[in-house]
Amino acid sequence: MSKLRFDVVQDAFKKKAAAVETPEGKMSDYFGELVFNRDKMRKYLDAKTFNALVNCIDNGAHLDAATADGVAAGMKTWALEHGVTHITHWFQPLTDGTAEKHDSFMEYDGKGGMIETFDGKALVQQEPDASSFPSGGIRATFEARGYTAWDPTSPVFIQDDTLCIPTVFISYTGEALDYKTPLKKALKAVNDAALPICRMFDPKVNKVMSYLGWEQEYFLVDEDLYAARPDLMLTGRTLMGHASSKNQQLDDHYFGAIPSRVAAFMRDIEIAGYKLGIPLKTRHNEVAPNQFELAPIYGETNLSNDQNQQMMNVMNSIARKHGFVVLFHEKPFDGINGSGKHNNWSLGTDTGTLLLAPGKDAMGNLQFVTFFVNVLAAVQKHNDLLKASIATATNAHRLGANEAPPAIVSAFLGRTMTAVLKKLLEVPSDTPIEIAGKKGKSLGLVEIPEIFVDNTDRNRTSPFAFTGNRFEFRAVGSSANCAGAMTTLNAAVAEQLIAFKKDVDKAMKAGKPMNIAFMDTLKPIIKSIIDVVCFDGNGYTDEWKKEANKRGLDVETNVPKMFKSFTTKKAIDLFTKLGVYSEKELEARNEVKWETYTKKVQIEGRVIGRMAINHIIPAALAYQTKLLKNIDLMKDVFGEQYSAMAGVSMGIVTRISELVTDLRQQVDSMVEARKKANVIEDEYEKALAYHEIAESLFPLRKTIDKLEEIVDNDMWPLPKYRELLFIN
Ligand code: ADP
Ligand code: MG
C-alpha cells in the first residue's frame, strides 16, 4: 500500500545531506581526468598520430584510416586503465537529452578466448538503428539506417564504465538528424564570414570562434515527494497545486545560503564535471525556492554545448544519490519563476581578441562596433526566427509570462552603447572611437568610457542583452539543447557579416579608406536598427507589445505558429545559402517540432485528466462524505438546531459539489477536444488544435487548486507546493 502523503513528507524532512565524494588532491589535479584531451593524446599516441589528430581538430584536416586506428588504440589503452568495458557513440537526436548505444570491447580472439578490441572504424562511424528517433519523415521506418560519425573537435570522455565518443547523427541520405550537425555548419559559416573582416584589422588572424557560456537553472525536489506526484514524473512539471502561502515574495532565496543537502549535491556534480574537463565556475540559489543555477567559464560553442549536455546527464544521475530529482522543465511550478538557460554568446579570434568587447585603440574599437552593429542587424532581421529557435511546448510557459523573456525578441544595449551609436550617426565617418577615462569626457569624439568595460548596466527583462563583452540570449529554455538557438544566431550573424563585407569592399573599391568605408557602411545600418530592435525599456509591459508590433517585430505568442518562421523565404535563403540546413531539413524539423509539441500537450492532457478523476475527485468526495456524516451526527445530537450549527460543513459540501461538477465537465470537454485533434492528419493543424488544449489546462487546474484550498489537509492525496518547494 502506498504511504500517506503525511508520512512521505515527514520522511523527506528527516533526510540528511549525503556524504560527498572527495577526490585526493586539488581540483586542478583531477580536472580533465576522464577526457581524452591533449595531455592524454601526447601520452597515448605516437608523434605522427598525435600531429595528424591535432591537425584534424585545429584545421579540419582529413583523418585517414591508419591514423584513426592509431587514435583508437591509444584511447583503448587509456580507457582500459580506467576499467572501461564499453564504448558508445554519444549523440544529440531531436529529443530531449542525449542518446547512446553501448557495445562492449569484447571480441573472440580466435584461440578460444576473449580480447578487448577497438579500432579506427568503430571510432569513426557507427550505424545505429535510427528508426525510432524523430526525423520528420526524412527517413521512413523501413530505411532504418542512420549514421553516427565522430566529431574529433569535442573530446572523447569516460562515463562510468563507458568510453563516450561525441558524434554527429545523419540519415542514410545525408540529412542531419541531430542538433550537432547544423551547429557545426553554422559555426563554420560564422568563421568564414567573420574571418575576412578580422583580417582587415589584423592579418595574423586565422580563425574566428563562436563562444558560449551557459547558465543552467534548475529546481531540486525530494525524490520521495516527486514519486508521489504523477504529473512531475510524467511531464516534468506540476499540472496542479495551490500556491504556497510563502513562495518567493520575500526575495530571501536568491543568492541565499545554500542548504546543506543541496550543497552536498552541488559539490558532487562539480567534482564529476571537473573530471570531465568542464570548467564549472559559478553556483548559487536562484529567485524561486528550491531553484539553483550552475555556470561554467565560457568556451568554444560546440564544446561548451556538449559539456552542457554532459552536465545535465551528470546532474540527473547524481541527484538520485542525494535523494533529489532535478527538474530542468522551464516552468515546474505555477506562480513562481521558471528556469532558463542564458546563452552568453560572443565571437573571438585565435589571436585572443574578443570581437564584442571594446578594443585597445581606435581601430580596435571600430572592429568592435562593426561586430556589435552587425549582430544587432542580424537579430533584427531574424527576430522571428530567433524566437522560434527557443520556442517549445515547455518554454511556452515562460515566454510572455512576467519573467526573463517576453515573446518578442529585442536587444538591450545599455546607456553607453546607445550613446555611442547615436554619436556615431552625428560625427564625420573618420572620427576615431576612443576609450575615455572613467567618466568619459565630452570632446566631440566618440568615446566609450573605461568604466563601461567591466560595469554594464543591467536589464533583466530583455531577451537579448549586451553585457559588456558578449550578448546574453536569455530566452533559451532550461531543458533545451543550446544548439537550436546557437545555430540560428551564428547563421544569422554570418549572413549579415557577408552582406556587410560586400558593401565595404564596394566602398573601398570606389577609393574610400578602410575606416571611412566601414563607418559609411555602418551608419545606415545603425539608423535602421536603433529604433526597431534596440529597446532598453521594460519588456514586460503591454505598451511594449503594442510598440513592438508597430516597429515590425514579431509578436506571435502561439508556439506552433512560431515554427513557421523556419520555412519563410527569408529563413530558407539564410540557411540554404550558408549550407546550414537544406529546405528538406527545415521542413522535416518543423514536422518534428509540431509532433513533439502535440505529444507533450497530449501527455499533459492525459495526466491531468486522470489525476482529476482518480486522485482529486475521490479525495474531494471522501471529504464531502465525512462532512455529511458530521451533519448527520449534528442532527442526531442537536435535533432542530442542527442546521445553524452545521452551516460551515453544509457550505463546504455545496462548494465541493459545484467544483467537482465543474471539474468533471472541464475534463470531459478536454477529452472531447483531444479526440477531435487526434484525427487531424496534418502535423501543423494538429499542433494548432493542441495549442487550444494547452490553453484549456489552466482553467482546469484552477478548479483543482480551489478544491485543494478547502479539502481536509490529511485527505489531500498529493504533496503540496509548500512541501515540494521547501524541503531540502
Ligand atoms: P551573470 O552575472 O549574468 O550571472 P557571469 O559573469 O556569471 O554572468 O557569466 C555568465 C556566463 O557568461 C559565464 O559562463 C561566463 O563564462 C560567460 N561569459 C563571460 N564572458 C563571455 C564571453 N565573452 N563570451 C561568452 N560567454 C562569456
Ligand atoms: Mg548572466
Side-chain angles (χ1 to χ4, degrees):
M1 203 185 106
S2 66
K3 283 175 134 192
L4 297 172
R5 180 181 120 255
F6 187 69
D7 293 335
V8 178
V9 173
Q10 285 298 304
D11 289 352
F13 255 115
K14 284 184 211 140
K15 282 186 194 159
K16 297 266 183 301
V20 171
E21 181 211 346
T22 324
E24 277 176 42
K26 301 188 295 296
M27 181 224 300
S28 53
D29 295 338
Y30 54 87
F31 186 83
E33 187 179 293
L34 297 178
V35 276
F36 198 73
N37 53 19
R38 299 259 160 140
D39 285 346
K40 311 292 183 338
M41 289 177 200
R42 241 174 251 119
K43 187 167 167 200
Y44 291 90
L45 306 179
D46 62 47
K48 195 165 156 247
T49 312
F50 174 85
N51 288 327
L53 179 57
V54 167
N55 194 24
C56 165
I57 294 170
D58 290 349
N59 308 315
H62 174 72
L63 200 75
D64 62 49
T67 311
D69 278 337
V71 175
M75 282 178 181
K76 189 180 84 176
T77 309
W78 171 66
L80 292 177
E81 286 172 13
H82 281 86
V84 165
T85 53
H86 286 66
I87 73 140
T88 184
H89 276 199
W90 182 80
F91 57 102
Q92 299 166 27
L94 301 176
T95 56
D96 293 339
T98 58
E100 41 198 83
K101 169 182 159 255
H102 297 194
D103 289 318
S104 84
F105 280 145
M106 205 53 79
E107 207 45 83
Y108 291 117
D109 67 356
K111 296 175 276 186
M114 305 298 282
I115 50 162
E116 283 91 4
T117 64
F118 179 49
D119 60 11
K121 249 176 43 209
L123 167 66
V124 171
Q125 192 173 307
Q126 275 190 357
E127 256 186 63
D129 176 354
S131 57
S132 305
F133 292 105
S135 71
I138 279 178
R139 192 186 7 69
T141 11
F142 55 82
E143 179 47 272
R145 268 182 299 177
Y147 290 106
T148 50
W150 181 32
D151 169 19
T153 60
S154 182
V156 164
F157 60 96
I158 292 173
Q159 195 175 282
D160 303 323
D161 59 359
T162 304
L163 187 68
C164 301
I165 299 159
T167 57
V168 294
F169 180 41
I170 53 178
S171 79
Y172 183 62
T173 42
E175 282 87 12
L177 297 173
D178 67 347
Y179 285 109
K180 191 188 255 284
T181 308
L183 176 63
K184 286 184 66 92
K185 290 176 176 172
L187 295 176
K188 181 179 179 306
V190 85
N191 169 67
D192 292 350
L195 190 55
I197 298 175
C198 293
R199 281 207 173 130
M200 294 175 79
F201 290 90
D202 177 4
K204 289 196 292 293
V205 175
N206 279 316
K207 201 170 170 180
V208 174
M209 262 92 62
S210 158
Y211 292 121
L212 165 65
W214 41 265
E215 299 169 58
Q216 178 73 59
E217 292 180 338
Y218 61 96
F219 279 84
L220 287 175
V221 291
D222 185 273
E223 69 177 349
D224 291 342
L225 303 181
Y226 172 85
R229 291 282 314 215
D231 47 355
L232 267 183
M233 287 185 74
L234 299 179
T235 73
R237 73 173 177 121
T238 55
L239 296 171
M240 57 196 69
H242 194 275
S244 168
S245 309
K246 173 182 187 288
N247 48 51
Q248 64 190 40
Q249 63 272 60
L250 296 176
D251 289 329
D252 52 355
H253 193 252
Y254 192 53
F255 284 10
I258 299 171
S260 60
R261 242 181 103 188
V262 177
F265 161 76
M266 285 179 172
R267 239 178 88 73
D268 272 0
I269 59 172
E270 282 166 355
I271 289 165
Y274 295 146
K275 288 185 178 173
L276 288 167
I278 303 173
L280 300 169
K281 178 82 176 162
T282 306
R283 59 180 180 207
H284 60 77
N285 285 6
E286 261 302 328
V287 174
N290 272 12
Q291 191 189 27
F292 308 93
E293 180 184 299
L294 173 74
I297 299 172
Y298 70 92
E300 190 278 323
T301 296
N302 174 45
L303 175 63
S304 184
N305 185 45
D306 280 0
Q307 293 181 336
N308 178 241
Q309 292 294 311
Q310 284 173 280
M311 272 322 288
M312 290 170 82
N313 290 341
V314 164
M315 289 163 80
N316 275 330
S317 68
I318 290 183
R320 292 296 184 148
K321 294 188 190 145
H322 293 263
F324 284 126
V325 172
V326 184
L327 305 179
F328 286 119
H329 193 290
E330 283 78 4
K331 194 77 179 176
F333 302 98
D334 182 49
I336 56 173
N337 272 29
S339 300
K341 181 149 53 194
H342 297 179
N343 278 205
N344 293 270
W345 170 87
S346 67
L347 295 172
T349 66
D350 59 344
T351 52
T353 304
L354 276 182
L355 295 165
L356 292 168
K360 291 195 190 75
D361 50 25
M363 281 308 270
N365 283 331
L366 178 61
Q367 180 172 251
F368 158 54
V369 170
T370 297
F371 279 92
F372 183 77
V373 167
N374 278 299
V375 168
L376 294 171
V379 170
Q380 174 160 313
K381 180 171 177 190
H382 294 294
N383 72 89
D384 61 327
L385 201 54
L386 283 163
K387 187 168 70 182
S389 76
I390 56 90
T392 58
T394 53
N395 205 16
H397 299 286
R398 260 175 93 229
L399 292 173
N402 262 3
E403 53 184 284
I408 299 163
V409 170
S410 62
F412 169 82
L413 272 53
R415 269 188 313 252
T416 304
M417 286 314 294
T418 306
V420 167
L421 294 193
K422 287 196 170 147
K423 188 92 195 181
L424 284 172
L425 290 177
E426 289 164 16
V427 297
S429 289
D430 60 352
T431 312
I433 311 170
E434 306 274 355
I435 298 253
K438 294 272 177 213
K439 286 217 176 88
K441 306 163 289 254
S442 188
L443 298 173
L445 299 171
V446 180
E447 291 163 336
I448 303 172
E450 203 179 293
I451 192 161
F452 153 81
V453 177
D454 48 23
N455 184 21
T456 43
D457 36 345
R458 292 266 168 159
N459 177 330
R460 295 273 167 208
T461 73
S462 178
F464 195 81
F466 183 62
T467 47
N469 64 358
R470 62 190 186 272
F471 281 95
E472 195 172 324
F473 192 12
R474 300 199 179 115
V476 184
S478 48
S479 72
N481 186 310
C482 305
M486 288 293 103
T487 301
T488 304
L489 178 59
N490 284 291
V493 170
E495 179 192 56
Q496 174 62 30
L497 291 173
I498 291 168
F500 174 79
K501 174 76 168 43
K502 241 190 217 159
D503 290 347
V504 165
D505 287 348
K506 225 188 276 165
M508 286 178 73
K509 251 197 200 129
K512 287 185 188 173
M514 176 177 154
N515 58 337
I516 296 182
F518 268 70
M519 269 325 303
D520 282 356
T521 311
L522 285 171
K523 279 180 175 176
I525 305 178
I526 297 173
K527 266 190 210 134
S528 72
I529 57 171
I530 195 98
D531 293 320
V532 182
V533 78
C534 302
F535 175 65
D536 280 10
N538 183 352
Y540 297 163
T541 62
D542 284 333
E543 291 83 71
W544 169 234
K545 279 177 213 156
K546 280 186 217 131
E547 164 75 17
N549 196 23
K550 257 195 250 156
R551 292 184 183 199
L553 296 173
D554 182 62
V555 295
E556 183 58 67
T557 56
N558 178 316
V559 167
K561 281 188 188 161
M562 285 181 203
F563 298 149
K564 283 270 184 190
S565 294
F566 274 101
T567 49
T568 59
K569 180 166 180 320
K570 177 170 71 97
I572 293 170
D573 274 358
L574 164 71
F575 289 124
T576 57
K577 282 193 185 142
L578 295 173
V580 172
Y581 295 114
S582 68
E583 198 171 340
K584 187 172 166 191
E585 284 172 328
L586 287 169
E587 279 163 9
R589 275 167 191 256
N590 265 4
E591 295 280 309
V592 172
K593 286 181 179 175
W594 286 318
E595 205 180 319
T596 307
Y597 180 91
T598 293
K599 284 181 181 162
K600 291 216 164 163
V601 179
Q602 189 175 49
I603 292 168
E604 288 192 347
R606 285 181 183 155
V607 171
I608 198 172
R610 286 175 195 167
M611 286 177 76
I613 307 290
N614 302 134
H615 287 74
I616 307 303
I617 293 180
L621 295 183
Y623 179 48
Q624 197 183 40
T625 306
K626 199 168 152 186
L627 292 170
L628 286 168
K629 280 189 190 143
N630 165 274
I631 296 167
D632 232 14
L633 287 172
M634 293 267 199
K635 208 192 253 172
D636 286 352
V637 177
F638 299 106
E640 280 313 300
Q641 287 157 9
Y642 90 96
S643 70
M645 299 180 72
V648 171
S649 295
M650 291 199 291
I652 301 175
V653 165
T654 315
R655 187 72 183 129
I656 288 177
S657 287
E658 287 163 7
L659 288 170
V660 164
T661 308
D662 286 352
L663 183 56
R664 182 74 228 195
Q665 270 165 7
Q666 284 168 314
V667 171
D668 289 347
S669 62
M670 190 249 313
V671 171
E672 275 313 303
R674 278 198 346 249
K675 277 188 195 153
K676 278 197 197 121
N678 288 344
V679 296
I680 301 174
E681 299 256 323
D682 181 84
E683 291 295 352
Y684 174 57
E685 296 296 333
K686 194 172 187 170
L688 285 182
Y690 265 95
H691 174 74
E692 297 299 313
I693 295 167
E695 304 273 294
S696 76
L697 300 187
F698 194 71
L700 200 157
R701 79 165 282 164
K702 282 292 154 204
T703 312
I704 297 177
D705 296 351
K706 280 179 200 152
L707 280 166
E708 184 186 322
E709 254 189 317
I710 54 172
V711 168
D712 182 350
N713 185 57
D714 282 348
M715 299 174 84
W716 195 252
L718 303 167
K720 298 184 170 185
Y721 270 26
R722 64 160 193 264
E723 293 154 350
L724 288 163
L725 284 168
F726 289 93
I727 290 178
N728 45 47

